[in-house]
Amino acid sequence: MMKILDLVVGPLQVNCYVVYDEKSSEAAIVDPGDDVIGILRLLEEKSLTPKLIVCTHGHFDHVGGVREVKAETGASIVLHGDDLGIYEKAQEQAAAWGFSVERPPSPDIIVAEGDQVRIGDCEMVVMHTPGHSPGSICLLHRDILFSGDTVFAGSIGRTDFSGGSLQAMKLSFRRIIGLPGETRLFPGHGPTSTVAKERETNFFVHEL
Ligand SMILES: [Zn+2]
Ligand SMILES: [Zn+2]
């Protein structure tokens, strides 16, 4: 069974999820944007074996801690190929916002739509959901969706950054609200939600 721990990290308050398979204790760290000490402490407290560092996209607030987490754990970095350019410029992006992050090392696993990544017995399917960035992904495991900066509770990620697209966001959003209503959303910022709740309350439903 998949367990999910949430840490809010960095100045832009990213949800970093430490996700693990209860049986094998293998873990994935989704979006280690900052607070590497907190992430490592959590891994140690739960005696987890970190296998994957999953980046839902390449923005600096989601990848700022990748270099250090990789150095400390040796876990494999997962990224969609279409966000490689943005990911490689994380340092420059951060500087433009007045922050500083370490340049993330090259990803180990480049994923695309339909690929699966696995921790122990828990496999997560990659959904390519461009719009906020060209290589944004969501990860689906049964009724759990890590929705990155694509869908938040009540809203969506900005589409006006470099590589963003409102048209692509519409398609990605439609796919997500087309998932079963009981699907639980774990977004990149803010509180959790469900697909059913977003169909009812998300403002973007009216923009499609
Ligand atoms: Zn973002
Ligand atoms: Zn973000």
Side-chain angles (χ1 to χ4, degrees):
M1 182 148 140
M2 182 181 272
K3 292 280 185 181
I4 302 166
L5 306 167
D6 180 8
L7 282 99
V8 179
V9 302
L12 301 186
Q13 305 222 292
V14 166
N15 287 320
C16 168
Y17 299 104
V18 172
V19 181
Y20 63 100
D21 166 39
E22 214 177 7
K23 199 167 104 192
S24 64
S25 293
E26 287 186 5
I29 302 120
V30 179
D31 290 347
D34 203 346
D35 192 14
V36 174
I37 289 171
I39 294 167
L40 296 174
R41 190 191 300 133
L42 205 55
L43 291 168
E44 199 176 298
E45 266 172 26
K46 300 276 179 190
S47 305
L48 302 177
T49 308
K51 289 283 175 183
L52 300 174
I53 298 166
V54 179
C55 305
T56 61
H57 61 297
H59 285 153
F60 81 89
D61 54 326
H62 296 254
V63 307
V66 166
R67 173 168 291 279
E68 218 179 323
V69 173
K70 170 79 183 178
E72 293 288 338
T73 66
S76 299
I77 302 166
V78 176
L79 181 78
H80 191 284
D82 291 354
D83 254 27
L84 201 50
I86 291 172
Y87 175 88
E88 286 168 344
K89 293 230 152 46
Q91 234 174 8
E92 290 85 341
Q93 288 169 44
W97 284 68
F99 300 116
S100 85
V101 301
E102 287 189 279
R103 187 176 297 283
S106 293
D108 301 288
I109 305 171
I110 293 286
V111 289
E113 169 69 27
D115 285 352
Q116 297 186 356
V117 292
R118 165 184 290 276
I119 41 166
D121 287 340
C122 300
E123 56 191 27
M124 296 185 277
V125 180
V126 173
M127 291 174 70
H128 181 208
T129 52
H132 176 64
S133 71
S136 278
I137 57 171
C138 295
L139 293 127
L140 182 65
H141 170 75
R142 299 184 179 206
D143 68 341
I144 295 166
L145 185 80
F146 297 98
S147 61
D149 283 5
T150 302
V151 178
F152 304 126
S155 70
I156 56 161
R158 286 173 62 168
T159 56
D160 59 335
F161 294 131
S162 169
S165 159
L166 185 59
Q167 276 311 110
M169 177 59 90
K170 287 182 180 180
L171 294 173
S172 296
F173 184 82
R174 271 204 198 99
R175 284 187 70 196
I176 291 170
I177 61 167
L179 292 169
E182 64 272 21
T183 308
R184 294 182 287 156
L185 300 185
F186 293 85
H189 302 268
T192 56
S193 186
T194 65
V195 164
K197 210 186 282 178
E198 292 317 301
R199 282 185 206 139
E200 293 295 316
T201 61
N202 197 299
F203 86 92
F204 199 58
V205 169
H206 309 288
E207 313 286 320
L208 298 174

